[in-house]
């Protein structure tokens, strides 16, 4: 294994000066360095990968036993070793009836029963059969949750806005009172259904926001307030304490991680927004990607290829972040969603056995939709000192046929950006530009340095026919399995998140100090900030 890493590094050092553009002398490069499944295309030809690098990367995946690890996940093995759990978000969208066993029992019947319960409830809310306390229809739904209990449904509900024919959906996540205050201010409690979504039902943000929402409902509905509540949780004992009727509690098991949970009950807002048929198409899209991930050979396997591109850029080229750039306004929350999916999964520094990782793991993930990002941070992408591999997403067809000109401009901009990143502009070309601006001599020379672009900056493009529910399912599953591929090659556990615990514990301990208790156990900075934020006598140790 270390031998393959070594060979990759040597190969990179020998080829680092080869311009990506020059690789297109091979006229079949686009065909050789792209792959497609069910109409979804991954183009990775605008990277420095060549045949030798691809061969080594595929061998690396094989040497890490990726095929066997994929099979173990889908089979329901307890691969989340630090929490002793299976990882079966894929079972939530499985279309086949092949049993999936956890602790000797097939989980599919339970998954399907709960999906039935969700669909029945969602359709009843959408039709008005499940009515508000006054007998009227629910016009608005607030989902209260955070992290995986917020980002997935919030992202997907926006992404599928053209299919939205159910009640309006609002998402409250932040503990900052401004979030729930501003959301409630625009709503009528008589017309509003509140979903409390928390896998554990202990998360302080969600529980605090839920209590505030309950008080708001009680002011209008009195003791009937719980009739406007539903819950999504694995902790069904705790939901009863809030008075939520069991038929409006949607459970799931601990083998679904929070950031992988939008395919089941956490996806209830999506189902309420777009209805059963569209939600099922969303699941089918993800299931189609699951089958592809399990069955396609590694060198034609989209999630594996996307993962290997990530390994190449991160570990071999040393690029420590990646930008997610959807040229699709409906995917405006995809970068935020992928931040949790990727960074909470692969932001680890030890291997499964606890030993330090020998090389860099998850990169920093960030981004914004195009073309907005072009007018914000693309300056750095093109001319900054850091190289940031870009990941573009673009649809062949938009949902606004009457605005075709907009979509043509969007596509032209997307293609222009990946071309500009790769091609750059040489000093000689920049001098010509300066000359055309009427500059000569030293001034032409000086400005050419500013007007030139280094180029040779890599990108991948994910192209799809149209952002339908099926395609959204494919895209999210593609990224889930990319994160898995990378995590397995790094040898870490992508399914735990111990790194979020310490801050939570310290916040609990700090609350009394924020409320005035002595802060004598704290460092000087914390004491100073406490007395600035909450004026009070604070003693420093
Ligand atoms: O659904 P819960 O249990 O409220 O957790 C919310 C989020 O908090 C985290 O545990 C991190 O703080 C995420 O992994 C999770 O998605």
């Amino acid at each position: 294994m270390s031998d393959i890493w070594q060979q990759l590094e040597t190969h990179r050092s020998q080829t680092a000066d080869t311009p990506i553009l020059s690789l297109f002398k091979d006229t079949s490069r686009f065909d050789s360095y792209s792959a497609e499944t069910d109409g979804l295309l991954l183009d990775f030809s605008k990277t420095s990968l060549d045949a030798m690098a691809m061969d080594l990367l595929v061998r690396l995946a094989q040497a890490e036993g990726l095929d066997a690890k994929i099979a173990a996940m889908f089979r329901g093995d307890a691969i989340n070793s630090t929490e002793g759990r299976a990882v079966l978000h894929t079972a939530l969208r499985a279309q086949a009836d092949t049993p999936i066993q956890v602790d000797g029992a097939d989980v599919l019947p339970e998954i399907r029963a709960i999906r039935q319960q969700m669909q029945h409830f969602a359709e009843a809310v959408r039709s008005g059969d499940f009515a508000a306390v006054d007998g009227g229809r629910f016009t608005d739904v607030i989902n209260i949750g955070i992290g995986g209990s917020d980002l997935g449904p919030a992202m997907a509900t926006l992404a599928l806005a053209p299919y939205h024919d159910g009640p309006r959906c609002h998402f409250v996540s932040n503990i900052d009172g401004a979030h729930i205050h501003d959301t409630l201010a625009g709503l009528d409690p008589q017309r509003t259904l509140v979903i409390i979504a928390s896998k554990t039902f202990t998360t302080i943000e969600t529980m605090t926001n839920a209590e505030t929402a309950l008080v708001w409902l009680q002011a209008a509905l009195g003791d009937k307030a719980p009739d406007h509540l539903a819950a999504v949780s694995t902790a069904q004992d705790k939901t009863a304490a809030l008075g939520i009727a069991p038929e409006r509690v949607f459970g799931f098991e601990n083998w679904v991680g929070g950031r992988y949970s939008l395919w089941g009950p956490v996806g209830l807002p999506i189902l309420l927004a777009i209805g059963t048929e569209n939600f099922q198409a969303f699941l089918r899209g993800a299931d189609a990607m699951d089958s592809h991930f399990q069955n396609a050979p590694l060198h034609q396997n989209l999630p594996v290829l996307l993962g290997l591109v990530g390994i190449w850029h991160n570990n071999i080229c040393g690029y420590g972040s990646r930008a997610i750039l959807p040229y699709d306004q409906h995917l405006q929350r995809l970068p935020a969603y992928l931040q949790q999916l990727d960074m909470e999964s692969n932001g680890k520094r030890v291997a499964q056995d606890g030993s330090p990782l020998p090389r860099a793991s998850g990169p920093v993930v960030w981004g914004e939709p195009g073309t907005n990002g072009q007018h914000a941070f693309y300056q750095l992408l093109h001319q900054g000192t850091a190289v940031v591999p870009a990941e573009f997403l673009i649809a062949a067809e938009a949902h606004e046929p009457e605005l075709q000109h907009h979509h043509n401009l969007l596509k032209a901009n997307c293609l222009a950006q990946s071309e500009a990143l790769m091609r750059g502009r040489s000093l000689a070309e920049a001098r010509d530009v300066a000359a055309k601006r009427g500059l000569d001599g030293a001034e032409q020379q000086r400005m050419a340095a500013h007007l030139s672009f280094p180029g040779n900056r890599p990108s991948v493009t994910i192209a799809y026919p149209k952002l339908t529910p099926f395609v959204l399912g494919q895209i999210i599953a593609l990224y889930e399995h990319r994160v898995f591929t990378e995590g397995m090659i790094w040898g870490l556990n992508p399914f735990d998140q111990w790194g979020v615990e310490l801050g939570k514990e310290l916040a609990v301990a700090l609350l009394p100090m924020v409320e005035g208790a002595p802060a004598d156990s704290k460092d000087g900075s914390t004491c100073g900030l406490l007395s600035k934020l909450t004026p009070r006598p604070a003693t420093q140790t």
Side-chain angles (χ1 to χ4, degrees):
M1 215 102 65
S2 57
D3 187 38
I4 303 177
W5 285 109
Q6 183 62 55
Q7 289 177 58
L8 278 163
E9 277 155 22
T10 306
H11 181 62
R12 171 66 181 164
S13 67
Q14 289 164 350
T15 55
D17 293 336
T18 307
I20 297 172
L21 190 59
S22 72
L23 301 175
F24 283 89
K25 281 184 206 134
D26 169 6
T27 51
S28 63
R29 181 168 173 83
F30 175 75
D31 292 332
S32 313
Y33 292 81
S34 63
E36 186 166 342
T37 179
D38 287 318
L40 186 92
L41 174 95
L42 169 67
D43 169 28
F44 56 102
S45 59
K46 289 194 188 96
T47 66
S48 55
L49 285 162
D50 59 10
M52 165 79 101
M54 283 311 299
D55 182 53
L56 287 167
L57 287 165
V58 169
R59 278 172 46 203
L60 184 67
Q62 284 164 338
E64 287 292 350
L66 184 61
D67 275 328
K69 289 177 178 173
I70 294 171
M73 174 170 71
F74 281 91
R75 198 168 50 226
D77 290 6
I79 61 169
N80 176 354
S81 61
T82 58
E83 295 179 320
R85 293 174 185 168
V87 173
L88 276 176
H89 48 283
T90 51
L92 295 175
R93 60 221 188 191
Q95 303 293 305
D97 293 325
T98 319
I100 301 172
Q101 310 273 349
V102 174
D103 297 330
D106 180 11
V107 296
L108 285 179
E110 175 76 356
I111 287 173
R112 290 182 182 168
I114 291 172
R115 195 186 308 148
Q116 277 291 331
Q117 183 200 357
M118 282 168 67
Q119 288 170 356
H120 184 259
F121 176 67
E123 291 305 339
V125 172
R126 285 162 58 85
S127 67
D129 283 354
F130 178 70
V133 164
D134 66 0
R137 199 183 271 255
F138 285 109
T139 57
D140 293 87
V141 173
I142 307 175
N143 186 80
I144 297 180
I146 196 164
S149 299
D150 166 71
L151 287 163
M155 176 275 291
T157 306
L158 267 174
L160 298 176
Y163 301 86
H164 195 147
D165 56 3
R168 287 180 291 265
C169 292
H170 312 266
F171 293 86
V172 171
S173 51
N174 203 327
I175 191 70
D176 185 340
H179 202 176
I180 190 136
H181 173 271
D182 294 0
T183 304
L184 296 181
L187 296 175
D188 175 359
Q190 300 283 357
R191 303 269 69 79
T192 303
L193 175 73
V194 175
I195 302 171
I196 305 165
S198 174
K199 184 177 164 184
T200 54
F201 235 67
T202 57
T203 305
I204 190 81
E205 290 93 336
T206 302
M207 293 303 107
T208 307
N209 281 323
E211 278 162 30
T212 303
L214 185 57
V215 169
W216 176 73
L217 288 173
Q218 278 164 341
L221 309 172
D223 60 6
K224 295 275 185 209
D227 293 358
H228 282 214
L229 292 180
V232 170
S233 185
T234 57
Q236 286 156 36
D237 48 328
K238 298 196 175 75
T239 59
L242 276 183
I244 306 173
E247 66 271 20
R248 292 197 304 282
V249 177
F250 304 91
F252 57 107
E253 300 295 333
N254 68 11
W255 35 258
V256 179
R259 54 195 174 275
Y260 297 89
S261 63
L262 80 172
W263 314 102
V266 168
L268 185 58
I270 313 170
L271 184 49
L272 283 158
I274 66 174
T276 298
E277 214 173 295
N278 285 319
F279 189 75
Q280 283 175 345
F282 174 59
L283 299 184
R284 281 198 303 277
D287 179 69
M289 186 58 74
D290 292 344
S291 301
H292 171 79
F293 186 48
Q294 287 173 282
N295 300 316
L298 298 182
H299 64 281
Q300 290 168 356
N301 190 313
L302 269 74
V304 173
L305 290 167
L306 194 55
L308 295 180
V309 170
I311 299 272
W312 173 253
H313 286 152
N314 186 4
N315 296 111
I316 308 301
C317 303
Y319 308 146
S321 86
R322 58 179 162 234
I324 307 295
L325 308 171
Y327 276 64
D328 196 325
Q329 183 62 19
H330 288 130
L331 289 177
Q332 61 186 274
R333 293 292 284 162
L334 184 70
Y337 171 78
L338 291 182
Q339 278 179 332
Q340 187 198 18
L341 179 66
D342 204 325
M343 294 164 77
E344 200 170 77
S345 296
N346 282 343
K348 311 283 165 63
R349 49 185 280 288
V350 294
Q352 298 257 8
D353 65 4
S355 60
L357 292 179
R359 50 188 60 83
S361 61
V364 175
V365 178
W366 56 284
E368 269 290 309
T371 58
N372 291 4
Q374 291 177 203
H375 300 271
F377 54 80
Y378 278 38
Q379 165 64 42
L380 182 149
L381 297 188
H382 287 289
Q383 290 188 316
T385 50
V387 175
V388 181
E391 302 193 355
F392 295 98
L393 295 103
I394 180 83
E397 193 188 333
H399 282 93
E400 305 78 22
E402 71 287 7
L403 299 175
Q404 185 60 40
H405 183 52
H406 286 252
H407 198 60
N408 291 345
L409 279 167
L410 187 71
K411 285 195 257 190
N413 271 278
C414 182
L415 295 177
Q417 291 301 326
S418 64
E419 184 187 352
L421 285 166
M422 172 175 69
R423 188 178 287 275
R425 183 195 272 155
S426 69
L427 264 178
E429 289 168 330
R431 254 184 248 115
D432 287 347
V433 175
K436 282 194 192 117
R437 292 184 178 193
L439 303 175
D440 52 21
E443 193 54 8
Q444 189 186 96
Q445 188 66 17
R446 185 178 75 85
M447 281 309 293
H450 293 274
L451 297 172
S452 66
F453 291 62
N456 213 22
R457 300 201 162 189
S459 66
V460 301
T461 300
I462 294 165
Y464 42 93
K466 188 175 183 176
L467 192 60
T468 59
F470 183 90
V471 167
L472 182 68
Q474 285 179 293
I475 292 173
I476 300 171
L478 166 68
Y479 272 101
E480 285 178 349
H481 297 324
R482 181 263 192 106
V483 165
F484 179 85
T485 297
E486 291 180 327
M488 292 303 110
I489 290 177
W490 288 321
L492 53 79
N493 178 7
F495 299 108
D496 61 11
Q497 55 285 316
W498 299 107
V500 301
E501 296 302 324
L502 180 58
K504 288 185 193 174
E505 283 165 26
L506 291 178
V508 170
L510 270 159
L511 183 60
M513 300 175 209
V514 169
E515 291 171 343
D520 44 17
S521 60
K522 293 293 171 187
D523 59 88
S525 166
T526 305
C527 288
L529 290 168
L530 274 169
S531 55
K532 176 74 182 165
L533 294 170
T534 314
R536 54 204 267 293
T539 34
Q540 178 194 336
T541 50

